[in-house]
Amino acid sequence: DLGNLDFVFEDLSLRDISGNILNALSHEFSILIGGSADLSSSCKTSLKDYPDFDFNNYAGRNIYFGIREHAMGAILNGMALSGLRSFGSTFLVFSDYMRPAIRMSAIMNLPVIYIFTHDSITVGEDGITHQPVEQLASLELIPNLYVYHPYDVNELLSSYKDILSANHPSVLVLPRDNKEISELTKSNKINDG
């Protein structure tokens, strides 16, 4: 239930809020497991109340994939095939490295959750190699892949509700910076267009 979140939305970026939502959901969904391609602190995808998954601890729910976006996508697909609700994160610009795995999620209709952050071309401290330009549009072209690009926390909550209630692969694209809450958005409805 996303209506019982016990954190404040003000002065947080959507990636921070998304991380809080993931942590709240981890207590409700015992099959939620995932990680990032070496960017969990930037993408805010660490499940704080759970240990890391490794060869000494199969009960862990945080996976460190390393800088291996394509391998991460393929592993997420395998986890989804085994009945887990898998998620993986990296910067939006690096989604190109995992495009074949994302396409396989869409072809196989696997409910993988891809969380891509830093969607703005204003992300400049690492240079043009970290500035996404065409990635969002190219992801939207993949058939059977649902792409969510929420404007504010209301649309983020609505996106998560839709993602968790459906059985399809989803991409959640989040900015690095903070966004004000709009009076025009609602947490119980998103635009399917």
Side-chain angles (χ1 to χ4, degrees), residues 4-176:
N4 298 323
L5 298 174
D6 59 351
F7 56 87
V8 180
F9 296 135
E10 288 80 16
D11 299 322
L12 290 176
S13 69
L14 288 184
R15 65 189 169 117
D16 286 306
I17 296 168
S18 174
N20 289 335
I21 292 171
L22 271 180
N23 275 276
L25 291 172
S26 69
H27 298 289
E28 303 294 323
F29 294 94
S30 61
I31 60 171
L32 184 66
I33 182 172
S36 80
D38 205 35
L39 290 167
S40 59
S41 62
S42 294
C43 296
K44 311 299 183 185
T45 51
S46 291
L47 301 179
K48 297 174 183 159
D49 294 333
Y50 299 95
D52 299 336
F53 180 92
D54 62 30
F55 62 90
N56 290 321
N57 187 3
Y58 294 145
R61 294 181 50 194
N62 291 297
I63 300 175
Y64 290 91
F65 294 99
I67 307 171
R68 300 175 187 91
E69 286 84 358
H70 176 70
M72 176 176 69
I75 292 166
L76 294 173
N77 288 342
M79 292 191 316
L81 281 169
S82 67
L84 297 171
R85 195 63 193 258
S86 57
F87 68 89
S89 65
T90 189
F91 292 171
L92 176 60
V93 72
F94 301 139
S95 64
D96 287 339
Y97 298 133
M98 54 195 307
R99 181 167 308 282
I102 295 171
R103 287 193 75 241
M104 289 306 297
S105 297
I107 290 168
M108 298 171 69
N109 202 39
L110 300 175
V112 175
I113 305 168
Y114 298 98
I115 302 169
F116 298 136
T117 66
H118 294 64
D119 76 331
S120 174
I121 60 170
T122 62
V123 177
E125 60 272 3
D126 292 320
I128 59 172
T129 59
H130 284 60
Q131 295 175 331
V133 177
E134 74 280 4
Q135 282 76 17
L136 180 60
S138 66
L139 287 167
E140 290 175 339
L141 292 173
I142 298 175
N144 200 41
L145 181 68
Y146 290 70
V147 179
Y148 301 85
H149 192 217
Y151 173 78
D152 64 6
V153 67
N154 288 328
E155 290 187 352
L156 178 61
L157 288 168
S158 185
S159 296
Y160 265 109
K161 288 176 185 175
D162 194 58
I163 289 167
L164 293 170
S165 65
N167 195 28
H168 52 63
S170 303
V171 168
L172 187 58
V173 179
L174 304 172
R176 177 182 180 189

